[in-house]
Amino acid sequence: MPNAFIRKLEGFGLLSEEHKTLLEDVSSSPRLVEADTDLISEGDKPEDVQLIMEGLAVRYKVSRAGDRQIFAYLVAGDFCDLHVALLRRMDHSIGTLTPCQVVRIPNASVLKLVEGSTMLARAFWWCTLVDEAILREWLVNVGGRPAEQRIAHLFCELHARLKAVGRTADGSFHLPLSQAELADTVGMSNVHVNRTLMALKDAGLVTFRGHVVTVPDTAKLEAFAEFDPSYLHRDRQLAPA
Amino acid sequence: MPNAFIRKLEGFGLLSEEHKTLLEDVSSSPRLVEADTDLISEGDKPEDVQLIMEGLAVRYKVSRAGDRQIFAYLVAGDFCDLHVALLRRMDHSIGTLTPCQVVRIPNASVLKLVEGSTMLARAFWWCTLVDEAILREWLVNVGGRPAEQRIAHLFCELHARLKAVGRTADGSFHLPLSQAELADTVGMSNVHVNRTLMALKDAGLVTFRGHVVTVPDTAKLEAFAEFDPSYLHRDRQLAPA
DNA sequence: CGCGTGATTGAAAAGCATCAACCCAAGTGG
DNA sequence: CCACTTGGGTTGATGCTTTTCAATCACGCG
């Protein structure tokens, strides 16, 4: 049974058996990291790249004033820090929100993998590009949208992304975040996040209770949030080789 | 005399003469595009990648309400849309702010270039990663920082980036933006941008008049903005091959 | 049962947007 | 050569959004 990482890469096209074995080899024997722990911190220059096999982690940065901005959620199959294989120095931190299964892969192995296969190189590059597209949309979100639309839009995105990997059930999905962590994501205070969530619930658009997001009417929520999923680039058609 | 594009790539390491000729060939005979023109629009599926040889352009998206969010400034030597070589469909638009010299390169040529040279592949991937790092910092900026620090931080970044390519003079640099375009960048209203700029001037931190930014005391401004340039990854040391 | 973390509520203040003028300099056309 | 236009930039007044501070509530856990 292929793990989440391999399943993700398979979405890009054929992987040879050889590659699968290679990848399976490299992504075996994860270690368990408990919740609220940094996997890697700003300024680190690690020799390994890390890969989340299970759990939820976030990219973030903290300002001197102490407030945290979250850039991305990392789920099963996501690279933590593919960057460092090239950039060497981490310019932000990555921390777990829940207990996570994590594997380490030496930088050199990653680079060798990439250089040994055009297919893999493209797949990895593709991941980077999609991450960047999501980041752009997040900037639109915090830069322009009012509070209710902002949170609604985030929920739409997560719904779409999790649905694509079979992690939704009947319009609801699990999201192990506190309201404060949600606030750090959308650039609002925790208090206002709370009020906004209640307004969204009263409007019948979404609820977020007990780490579960429930969307009664997806189309309605997406219309409200002006959500257009095309930035997620889910049509994974690679350019002709 | 190498053009801006080649000069940029040379920063990553040795380019063979063969590569230089190839690149020079591919980046020759630019066309002139006037100001305030879209080079490419959201939804396009172009067959070419575009490259800015001269002038200033921006990545942006407009919401239904009509407000624009700017994601990135593109200057000489920047790829407009390297993404589309892989992702095919543009998820945002790119427009000129000033008249620009632009060249088109067929997607296929780009992919061939990348696959023909590990060095180039890394250099391109590197560019993507740095763009992403900048995007993250912009998210921190609009997500968390108050108005004055927000604009100050942007100016610090631009100062650092332009200084690196020799486009600053004595603590000042050219920035052909209107205040409204600046507002679209930092997610504020044009009115508030105006007031903030005046506050920054009164505080003796920066001035922005006639498309010129002047920083009397760089260290002072950077301290005020809590600017840490490490996210720009200016130490262009590639990982060992 | 007591404690701690996260959620919820209220009141007050700050920050920012909006609207509406007005100014100023650089065209443009008669 | 001047009246007119036009696109920023600047200013003031007003009100909404959001933050902050503080208190209270709910619930899981030792």
Side-chain angles (χ1 to χ4, degrees):
Chain A
M1 148 174 75
N3 62 43
F5 174 48
I6 294 179
R7 223 180 319 131
K8 181 176 175 184
L9 289 183
E10 273 181 326
F12 297 104
L14 247 19
L15 285 180
S16 70
E17 281 308 315
E18 183 190 4
H19 280 139
K20 279 195 210 173
T21 322
L22 205 62
L23 290 172
E24 217 154 318
D25 192 38
V26 105
S27 57
S28 59
S29 63
R31 70 200 164 99
L32 180 64
V33 178
E34 63 180 0
D36 292 312
T37 308
D38 272 5
L39 291 174
I40 185 170
S41 304
E42 189 173 341
D44 284 358
K45 296 183 179 180
E47 296 302 315
D48 307 301
V49 163
Q50 296 187 68
L51 187 56
I52 309 265
M53 302 307 294
E54 198 57 57
L56 181 66
V58 292
R59 297 182 191 289
Y60 72 92
K61 231 174 200 176
V62 295
S63 76
R64 189 151 336 139
D67 31 61
R68 171 170 68 166
Q69 177 67 48
I70 291 175
F71 307 120
Y73 296 144
L74 303 172
V75 298
D78 281 343
F79 270 116
C80 280
D81 44 16
L82 196 48
H83 336 60
V84 299
L86 268 191
L87 294 183
R88 311 310 291 276
R89 186 179 186 282
M90 280 297 285
D91 57 28
H92 61 278
S93 304
I94 294 176
T96 60
L97 294 185
T98 67
C100 288
Q101 296 285 351
V102 181
V103 296
R104 290 181 176 280
I105 308 174
N107 286 349
S109 301
V110 173
L111 291 176
K112 206 181 302 173
L113 223 51
V114 168
E115 275 153 25
S117 159
T118 300
M119 177 64 83
L120 281 183
R122 283 201 189 183
F124 285 8
W125 193 13
W126 201 92
C127 291
T128 310
L129 291 175
V130 172
D131 285 350
E132 200 179 325
I134 291 173
L135 213 42
R136 277 192 293 268
E137 194 61 37
W138 282 30
L139 189 58
V140 173
N141 220 20
V142 310
R145 285 191 260 263
E148 294 184 20
Q149 282 189 37
R150 198 183 299 187
I151 291 184
H153 194 280
L154 177 66
F155 284 166
C156 287
E157 177 189 307
L158 294 175
H159 183 73
R161 286 169 61 186
L162 292 174
K163 189 170 186 179
V165 294
R167 298 253 178 165
T168 62
D170 193 32
S172 72
F173 58 92
H174 188 64
L175 186 67
L177 292 176
S178 70
Q179 292 187 358
E181 286 157 346
L182 195 51
D184 289 340
T185 305
V186 293
M188 296 167 39
S189 71
N190 56 350
V191 173
H192 200 237
V193 163
N194 180 279
R195 294 195 230 266
T196 304
L197 284 174
M198 300 200 318
L200 288 171
K201 184 179 68 183
D202 290 347
L205 290 166
V206 244
T207 63
F208 178 47
R209 291 191 63 79
H211 291 173
V212 174
V213 176
T214 307
V215 184
D217 183 343
T218 309
K220 195 167 142 201
L221 183 66
E222 294 187 346
F224 173 75
E226 295 182 16
F227 178 71
D228 173 357
S230 56
Y231 69 95
L232 294 173
H233 294 275
R234 300 266 291 302
D235 48 329
R236 303 181 157 186
Q237 300 220 340
L238 288 176
Chain B
M1 146 174 79
N3 61 43
F5 174 48
I6 295 180
R7 224 178 320 131
K8 181 176 174 185
L9 290 182
E10 273 181 327
F12 297 103
L14 245 22
L15 286 178
S16 71
E17 281 307 317
E18 185 190 2
H19 281 140
K20 279 195 211 171
T21 322
L22 206 62
L23 291 172
E24 217 153 318
D25 192 38
V26 105
S27 58
S28 61
S29 63
R31 71 199 164 98
L32 180 64
V33 178
E34 62 179 2
D36 292 312
T37 307
D38 272 6
L39 290 174
I40 186 170
S41 305
E42 188 173 342
D44 285 356
K45 296 184 179 179
E47 297 301 317
D48 306 302
V49 163
Q50 296 186 66
L51 186 56
I52 308 264
M53 302 308 292
E54 197 56 57
L56 182 65
V58 292
R59 297 183 190 287
Y60 72 92
K61 231 174 200 176
V62 294
S63 77
R64 190 150 336 140
D67 31 60
R68 170 170 69 165
Q69 177 67 48
I70 291 175
F71 308 120
Y73 296 145
L74 303 173
V75 298
D78 281 343
F79 270 118
C80 279
D81 43 17
L82 196 49
H83 337 62
V84 300
L86 270 191
L87 295 183
R88 311 309 292 276
R89 187 179 184 282
M90 280 298 286
D91 57 28
H92 62 278
S93 304
I94 296 176
T96 61
L97 294 185
T98 67
C100 288
Q101 296 285 350
V102 181
V103 297
R104 290 180 175 280
I105 307 174
N107 286 349
S109 301
V110 173
L111 292 175
K112 206 180 303 173
L113 221 51
V114 168
E115 275 153 26
S117 159
T118 300
M119 177 64 84
L120 280 183
R122 284 201 188 184
F124 285 8
W125 194 13
W126 173 287
C127 292
T128 310
L129 291 175
V130 172
D131 285 350
E132 199 179 326
I134 291 173
L135 212 42
R136 277 193 292 268
E137 194 61 37
W138 282 30
L139 188 58
V140 172
N141 219 20
V142 309
R145 284 192 261 264
E148 293 184 21
Q149 282 188 37
R150 197 183 298 187
I151 290 184
H153 194 281
L154 177 65
F155 284 166
C156 286
E157 176 189 306
L158 294 174
H159 183 71
R161 286 169 62 186
L162 292 174
K163 190 171 185 179
V165 294
R167 298 253 178 165
T168 62
D170 194 31
S172 72
F173 59 92
H174 188 64
L175 187 66
L177 293 176
S178 68
Q179 291 186 358
E181 287 157 346
L182 195 52
D184 290 340
T185 306
V186 294
M188 296 167 38
S189 71
N190 55 351
V191 174
H192 200 52
V193 163
N194 180 279
R195 292 195 229 268
T196 304
L197 285 174
M198 300 202 317
L200 288 172
K201 184 178 67 182
D202 289 349
L205 289 166
V206 246
T207 63
F208 178 45
R209 292 190 62 80
H211 291 172
V212 173
V213 176
T214 307
V215 184
D217 182 342
T218 308
K220 195 168 142 199
L221 183 65
E222 294 187 346
F224 173 76
E226 296 183 16
F227 177 71
D228 173 358
S230 55
Y231 70 95
L232 294 173
H233 294 275
R234 299 265 292 302
D235 47 329
R236 303 181 157 186
Q237 300 220 339
L238 289 175

